[in-house]
Amino acid sequence: MVTPNDQLPTLGKMIAAMRDAPHKWRTDSNATDDISAVIAMMELVWKGYRRHGDPEQSAETTAQAAQMHAQTAALLVHWFQSEHIRRTAA
């Protein structure tokens, strides 16, 4: 949905695309700066756990941290799939 023509989409690319054009997105929230909050949640998932075997990051994580990241990711997926977060018509 965020980068539909990308053959190798990543969360990092999606964050960049939304950050570069926040005016292209809207949510069902009445919150001010809601797209920035969505991007921050995406960054929490993207930066909050060890990915791709990065030797600079600790392999240790707590169950609570893993649960938080998994729940945040699931919530974001739900919001996008249910179109609570969606592209604007323009």
Side-chain angles (χ1 to χ4, degrees):
M1 175 182 288
V2 178
T3 56
N5 298 321
D6 189 344
Q7 296 297 314
L8 297 170
T10 67
L11 183 54
K13 290 179 184 179
M14 291 177 207
I15 291 167
M18 290 184 74
R19 188 183 299 121
D20 290 345
H23 61 279
K24 291 184 178 182
W25 297 93
R26 63 178 297 172
T27 75
D28 289 331
S29 170
N30 291 323
T32 303
D33 210 17
D34 54 353
I35 296 302
S36 291
V38 169
I39 293 168
M41 291 173 67
M42 293 168 72
E43 286 177 332
L44 177 72
V45 173
W46 187 49
K47 297 176 182 177
Y49 67 97
R50 184 176 177 166
R51 303 177 337 274
H52 310 296
D54 185 347
E56 299 297 317
Q57 291 181 325
S58 170
E60 295 181 23
T61 190
T62 65
Q64 292 86 353
Q67 188 176 49
M68 181 180 175
H69 295 125
Q71 290 172 346
T72 303
L75 180 60
L76 285 164
V77 168
H78 171 71
W79 282 350
F80 277 99
Q81 285 184 336
S82 62
E83 296 186 359
H84 293 301
I85 303 169
R86 60 194 171 281
R87 285 190 181 274
T88 60

